[in-house]
Amino acid sequence: MKYSIIVPVFNRPNEVEELLESLTHQTIQNFEVIIVEDGSQIPCHDICNQYKTQLDIHYFMKENSGPGQSRNFGAARAQGEYLLILDSDVVLPDNYLKSVDNELQREPADGFGGPDCAHPSFTDTQKAISYSMTSFFTTGGIRGGKKKLDKFYPRSFNMGIRKEVYQALGGFSKMRFGEDIDFSIRIYKAGYQCRLFPEAWVWHKRRTDFKKFWRQVFNSGIARINLYKKYPESLKLVHLLPAVFTTGMITLSLIAIIGLILLITTGNHNFLLVSTIPLIPIILYILLLFIDSTLQNKSIKIGMLSIISAYIQLGGYGCGFIQAWWQRCIKNKGEFSAYQKNFYK
């Protein structure tokens, strides 16, 4: 067995069905599928049974412990030489495994991963969220696109690793968020290497609405500080951009509001400039997002929704980052995350 595909699942049977269906169309068939139900109230057991004759599929139910520990549970039962870690909300193109196989034959890799994009069937909101998470004009360049930092850190929605390396590192840590970056950092620190497989991409649904998306990126901001406390060298200048963006947008908005109030109360037209100039960079950025997303998605509606999703992505991450910095770096509190009880609601 060359590949073991490991998928942790929590209350997402419909997504699992789409993923399994896409696996039946792979041009390479030397793989097994391990589904780990992480204490779900809505299990996908019946869905998995429907694919028993088409896939070498193994289903396990366990108590809820988070995605990292669920992946470890699956990895302990895997038979493959390589472990492919996928989120349940991805769908694979037919040549996904072939692309992975081609890259490994060209040049071996200890760890690897690929980019993501939106499928034509996704909702307009999902396409807007996908845009904000992958765009050059947000922070998409560090999430598996072709433009990346000096080192590529695979993300758990599309990650591969040699099983012996996985075992040597002890798998994922107990972090609830940021556990994939933690794992990627430990791969490098142990002397192994990771590579981007640009053709091994997936369709990634991410969150289905903006409320869930806010919770996701807010926790990502918190996770970045949690990672900094464990690995100070992991914090790069680019990771500060969402926090700088958030404070900058708030500052510019406050200046504009104060200028407008002074204009109204004093009648001094000099305050007209105070109330309008700070809005110029905000308006220009909004126009940039709108035009770029509209052209990419060929949809004015998605272009408008992308403005919202980009501000949520940068603002949510920035707010989580700032809160965690205050709690952990200033007040010296322990590791934490937000929305624990209603993260998926």
Side-chain angles (χ1 to χ4, degrees):
M1 185 70 64
K2 188 168 186 180
Y3 300 110
S4 293
I5 297 174
I6 300 171
V7 185
V9 183
F10 183 74
N11 290 340
R12 295 187 174 190
N14 293 335
E15 290 181 351
V16 172
E17 183 173 13
E18 291 182 276
L19 172 56
L20 294 179
E21 178 62 29
S22 70
L23 283 168
T24 66
H25 300 289
Q26 294 302 301
T27 55
I28 288 181
Q29 294 296 319
N30 187 18
F31 66 90
E32 64 176 349
V33 184
I34 299 175
I35 302 294
V36 182
E37 194 89 68
D38 189 25
S40 300
Q41 292 78 47
I42 310 173
C44 63
H45 181 264
D46 292 342
I47 299 294
C48 293
N49 277 340
Q50 294 175 19
Y51 287 87
K52 281 284 188 180
T53 58
Q54 298 171 271
L55 297 169
D56 181 7
I57 187 169
H58 309 275
Y59 174 88
F60 299 96
M61 168 70 84
K62 55 178 280 298
E63 292 185 1
N64 182 266
S65 60
Q69 298 307 298
S70 295
R71 296 182 193 112
N72 292 344
F73 184 95
R77 292 153 178 80
Q79 301 298 315
E81 177 186 355
Y82 289 92
L83 307 181
L84 299 181
I85 310 297
L86 300 175
D87 281 353
S88 62
D89 61 350
V90 304
V91 179
L92 307 182
D94 296 352
N95 64 343
Y96 171 80
L97 276 174
K98 180 63 176 174
S99 298
V100 171
D101 210 54
N102 288 343
E103 284 284 352
L104 289 174
Q105 289 184 33
R106 182 180 67 82
E107 181 184 348
D110 301 310
F112 52 89
D116 67 318
C117 61
H119 190 274
S121 67
F122 289 3
T123 67
D124 290 341
T125 298
Q126 287 175 316
K127 290 176 182 177
I129 290 173
S130 178
Y131 169 82
S132 66
M133 291 294 281
T134 58
S135 172
F136 172 79
F137 297 113
T138 56
T139 58
I142 65 173
R143 285 182 166 79
K146 293 183 180 180
K147 296 181 182 297
K148 56 189 183 297
L149 296 174
D150 55 337
K151 291 182 179 179
F152 173 66
Y153 294 88
R155 307 290 175 120
S156 57
F157 66 82
N158 183 8
M159 171 187 281
I161 186 168
R162 285 195 296 123
K163 185 180 180 182
E164 62 182 63
V165 174
Y166 192 101
Q167 292 173 330
L169 296 175
F172 287 86
S173 70
K174 293 184 178 181
M175 294 179 70
R176 294 286 292 203
F177 300 94
E179 79 287 344
D180 50 355
I181 301 301
D182 173 81
F183 190 35
S184 294
I185 290 172
R186 288 192 286 118
I187 292 174
Y188 281 109
K189 290 178 77 69
Y192 302 108
Q193 295 297 318
C194 294
R195 263 198 312 123
L196 170 68
F197 289 4
E199 301 304 318
W201 52 270
V202 301
W203 289 300
H204 192 191
K205 292 187 182 69
R206 301 188 185 276
R207 293 297 177 256
T208 55
D209 60 57
F210 289 137
K211 181 185 290 186
K212 293 175 183 176
F213 185 46
W214 167 270
R215 291 169 179 166
Q216 178 188 24
V217 294
F218 189 90
N219 269 310
S220 295
I222 294 174
R224 178 51 63 184
I225 292 296
N226 289 337
L227 289 167
Y228 163 71
K229 295 294 286 186
K230 292 181 70 173
Y231 314 106
E233 73 282 1
S234 70
L235 188 65
K236 308 297 183 182
L237 181 63
V238 68
H239 299 135
L240 304 178
L241 293 180
V244 173
F245 172 88
T246 301
T247 54
M249 288 294 118
I250 292 173
T251 300
L252 290 173
S253 299
L254 286 175
I255 292 173
I257 291 171
I258 292 171
L260 180 61
I261 292 173
L262 291 174
L263 174 65
I264 294 172
T265 56
T266 66
N268 186 339
H269 290 285
N270 289 328
F271 290 115
L272 181 61
L273 291 176
V274 178
S275 64
T276 55
I277 289 179
L279 297 178
I280 293 175
I282 298 176
I283 294 170
L284 289 176
Y285 186 62
I286 287 173
L287 287 174
L288 178 65
L289 293 171
F290 173 74
I291 294 170
D292 186 56
S293 179
T294 297
L295 293 175
Q296 283 195 33
N297 293 285
K298 299 178 175 60
S299 168
I300 292 176
K301 181 181 178 182
I302 296 174
M304 295 177 67
L305 290 173
S306 295
I307 298 168
I308 301 172
S309 64
Y311 270 80
I312 289 175
Q313 187 230 334
L314 293 167
Y317 188 107
C319 288
F321 185 98
I322 293 168
Q323 179 182 342
W325 170 78
W326 179 258
Q327 294 290 339
R328 299 218 59 197
C329 300
I330 303 301
K331 301 179 72 174
N332 292 317
K333 291 191 175 181
E335 185 177 308
F336 73 99
S337 56
Y339 307 111
Q340 290 276 31
K341 295 182 179 180
N342 59 354
F343 181 73
Y344 292 99
K345 295 181 180 179

